[in-house]
Amino acid sequence: MRRIQIGTLVALAGLLGSCTSSPKSESDPPNPSVHLVTPAPGVVTFYLALPAKSAELTGAATRAASPGAGYRRFVALAEAGQRFGATDEDISRVQTAVTGLGLGFAVDPTRLFARLTGTPAQWQQALGAPLEQQPGSAKNPFDAYALPDRVPEALQPAGTTLLVGEADVYDPGSDGSRPASANTPDAATAGQRAWPLNVGTPITAQCDDPLLTQKRVYTPAQIHTAYGVDKLRAQVSGAPVVTVIDLGGGWSSQDMTLAAECWGYSAPQVVQSQGDGVPSPITNVDPETSLDLQTVAAAVPGAQLRLVQTTNADGSFLDAFSRAIADPNGLPDVLTVSYGGCAIAEEQAEPDYVKTVDAVLAMAALAGVSTLVAAGDSGSTTCGAAVKAPTMSYPAVSPFVTAVGGTRLTLGDGNARTGEVVWNDSVYGEQAAGGGGSSKTQARPWYQAKAGSTSARTVPDVAALADMSPGWPVVISGSLQTVGGTSGATPFTAAALALVSASERAAGRPAVGLANGWFYAVHGTSGTFFDVTQGNNDLRSVGCCTAGPGYDLASGLGVPLWETLPATLPAPG
């Protein structure tokens, strides 16, 4: 899981096209500009939170995600925006103020925030001072911009808040070789344990590679068998729609084809869309993006696979989530996110930004979309060694996502599970473990009322394979690698959940939506979760967290049993 640099803020945007309308007199208010912005070169975007009915939105999303009356009774995004987002009057008022400065203005379809756009020259004219600028490099091909300390009042009309003061924009001309970011294992050194091997059988593949002969990597078929996804695929019908959220990385169609040929499925077409600050596809092949796409493609062959590609900045979460649920091709079944960071949540650097992202995620849940987020690869210390206490990752701690932690999986004959413990590779010389613990800032959500005694949101919710060796297979730049992390566990779990949602839709019922209400309600019922009771994710001796029977802060509810868990899905209320 990639950790976003602390302090980076808003993603950059595209220039919006104006809505057509009948002639208006100068005294008439402008028509509200509500639409997605198409990214364009040379345009910088900042985000403005708008007045919204946050409490009412949270209540509606909670009812839709809670088994019982109203369960899985979803609301179309446009209707949700009208009910819980900014009013036409508020939008027109803010639009008049912002466009009066010579900037572009467009309200996101959620009506929870607006995109303010302009070239650096237009921003300088509007601000009366230039944006701070830092050019990108081959290793970080994003030009960075920052607002000055003071901005005109017209940029923050009453009831609104500028959310993030920095922005990135992709510069394809500077994109060059960048170091791999995936969790790949190093060779064991003196005093460390040797990496375990893949002792499951059979190991079937249609390619030849040293990692396979040395038994240092699992194949997708082995993982699918161990977790029951192969049998789930045989039980369900319908075509899943999975959206991968990518922050700052590119991918290779050739790698997708090689992976498909190796593991025996047809390479899918990836429908890609660009986020603010990314007017053209990112060219550099990124291990994170490659792992996410290939993991989903292997788990759900035939799925409609989408990719939302944004910059690697804090504000990109807001941009990416909103674009994913406002996709003109329709809602996805699931969103999968393998990114997160410390500062914007656990250190409370941007509380208004977190509140707005949480509102967008609540609207996704109300619309019937499942959002899964990696819990992190730094154990219970996402914020690093300087903080002498457990710290979590955002957006994994949002109440409207399913946070996915990590395990170490051991297989036997027939690739049946012979053991599964909490992922922690420190004994092999790698400071990496699955995220888990209690949030400093997010209150305990309704579905965790009986999960532990803390009053805070705790993660993870569920867990799956995350060890480095034998780990997840991924083809990067034509080479097979074994990688670890909750970045593998998350897209895999998302793909399995998408199969359930697609089957529900094919049967004429609503999709699953936010899965946590279901998961916590049926936990403890036979055939729902494999209880991970051994291991810990503590990397820096902060006293958290250790697995035990039932729900715990190292493995959550455990590992979903995908062959049998779907039968426990409550009916719509």
Side-chain angles (χ1 to χ4, degrees):
M1 174 182 174
R2 177 174 297 160
R3 287 165 289 280
I4 293 176
Q5 181 181 354
I6 294 172
T8 55
L9 304 170
V10 183
L12 311 184
L15 202 56
L16 36 120
S18 60
C19 298
T20 59
S21 61
S22 58
K24 301 173 69 66
S25 69
E26 292 184 0
S27 60
D28 289 333
N31 284 335
S33 179
V34 182
H35 61 276
L36 283 178
V37 171
T38 301
V43 175
V44 181
T45 302
F46 294 98
Y47 301 141
L48 187 71
L50 298 172
K53 302 178 181 67
S54 299
E56 291 90 338
L57 172 59
T58 296
T62 298
R63 288 189 293 275
S66 302
Y71 180 53
R72 292 164 63 196
R73 296 301 181 187
F74 302 126
V75 176
L77 182 65
E79 180 184 345
Q82 289 283 352
R83 287 172 55 185
F84 305 110
T87 65
D88 285 353
E89 292 76 16
D90 279 333
I91 292 172
S92 295
R93 171 177 58 85
V94 177
Q95 180 176 342
T96 298
V98 172
T99 57
L101 295 174
L103 297 171
F105 176 90
V107 176
D108 185 76
T110 63
R111 289 177 167 251
L112 297 171
F113 69 96
R115 292 174 171 87
L116 314 186
T117 59
T119 65
Q122 290 170 327
W123 277 104
Q124 180 171 349
Q125 182 178 2
L127 296 166
L131 295 171
E132 298 179 21
Q133 300 185 33
Q134 182 175 348
S137 64
K139 293 183 178 180
N140 183 34
F142 297 93
D143 298 330
Y145 297 86
L147 290 169
D149 292 337
R150 294 186 178 183
V151 300
E153 290 185 5
L155 275 182
Q156 289 192 98
T160 70
T161 306
L162 273 171
L163 293 176
V164 185
E166 298 181 7
D168 290 349
V169 63
Y170 176 56
D171 178 11
S174 65
D175 200 353
S177 177
R178 282 178 275 167
S181 60
N183 290 316
T184 54
D186 293 328
T189 58
Q192 297 170 354
R193 296 183 190 176
W195 287 101
L197 299 177
N198 176 3
V199 294
T201 57
I203 302 175
T204 56
Q206 300 179 29
C207 59
D208 185 22
D209 190 271
L211 285 178
L212 290 168
T213 57
Q214 296 168 9
K215 300 185 178 182
R216 293 174 53 206
V217 66
Y218 284 127
T219 69
Q222 289 183 287
I223 301 168
H224 301 168
T225 297
Y227 288 141
V229 169
D230 56 345
K231 294 181 179 178
L232 173 62
R233 285 197 301 259
Q235 296 171 4
V236 303
S237 57
V241 183
V242 180
T243 297
V244 171
I245 301 294
D246 164 50
L247 273 62
W251 61 286
S252 163
S253 60
Q254 290 85 355
D255 287 345
M256 292 285 289
T257 299
L258 286 173
E261 291 174 350
C262 186
W263 311 128
Y265 61 89
S266 297
Q269 178 184 3
V270 179
V271 180
Q272 180 169 322
S273 59
Q274 306 303 118
D276 298 333
V278 190
S280 61
I282 297 171
T283 59
N284 198 287
V285 177
D286 179 68
E288 183 66 80
T289 312
S290 303
L291 175 62
D292 287 357
L293 291 173
Q294 291 176 32
T295 300
V296 173
V300 284
Q304 183 181 139
L305 187 52
R306 302 174 183 173
L307 176 70
V308 178
Q309 192 175 63
T310 71
T311 67
N312 184 24
D314 288 350
S316 296
F317 285 127
L318 185 60
D319 178 40
F321 287 137
S322 66
R323 287 184 181 276
I325 62 175
D327 193 308
N329 296 310
L331 288 170
D333 290 306
V334 300
L335 308 178
T336 177
V337 184
S338 292
Y339 300 80
C342 156
I344 58 176
E346 290 302 292
E347 298 305 301
Q348 200 66 354
E350 294 288 337
D352 291 318
Y353 174 72
V354 170
K355 179 181 178 181
T356 306
V357 175
D358 282 348
V360 172
L361 290 168
M363 201 164 282
L366 181 58
V369 178
S370 308
T371 302
L372 287 86
V373 178
D377 299 344
S378 300
S380 53
T381 46
T382 295
C383 295
V387 182
K388 305 301 182 182
T391 50
M392 300 300 101
S393 176
Y394 186 83
V397 295
S398 170
F400 291 102
V401 309
T402 300
V404 184
T407 66
R408 170 168 290 279
L409 174 67
T410 306
L411 302 180
D413 292 343
N415 292 313
R417 175 195 287 111
T418 59
E420 195 156 11
V421 300
V422 175
W423 170 49
N424 188 330
D425 279 344
S426 60
V427 294
Y428 307 108
E430 297 284 352
Q431 289 298 299
S438 298
S439 171
K440 289 183 179 180
T441 60
Q442 298 273 7
R444 181 176 64 187
W446 75 98
Y447 49 79
Q448 289 190 320
K450 298 180 180 180
S453 57
T454 179
S455 61
R457 165 74 161 122
T458 55
V459 296
D461 297 303
V462 297
L465 170 68
D467 47 290
M468 295 185 190
S469 180
W472 289 94
V474 59
V475 177
I476 303 172
S477 299
S479 174
L480 178 63
Q481 298 187 26
T482 176
V483 301
T486 53
S487 296
T490 304
F492 170 76
T493 305
L497 187 59
L499 284 169
V500 181
S501 275
S503 186
E504 287 293 291
R505 289 190 293 101
R509 296 185 292 269
V512 173
L514 178 65
N516 294 0
W518 166 30
F519 287 169
Y520 283 85
V522 303
H523 179 244
T525 302
S526 176
T528 55
F529 295 90
F530 176 82
D531 192 7
V532 178
T533 61
Q534 297 180 29
N536 69 80
N537 69 345
D538 194 346
L539 295 176
R540 295 185 172 92
S541 300
V542 294
C544 187
C545 302
T546 301
Y551 178 84
D552 59 66
L553 277 63
S555 64
L557 299 169
V559 182
L561 301 174
W562 290 111
E563 180 184 355
T564 51
L565 175 62
T568 69
L569 176 65

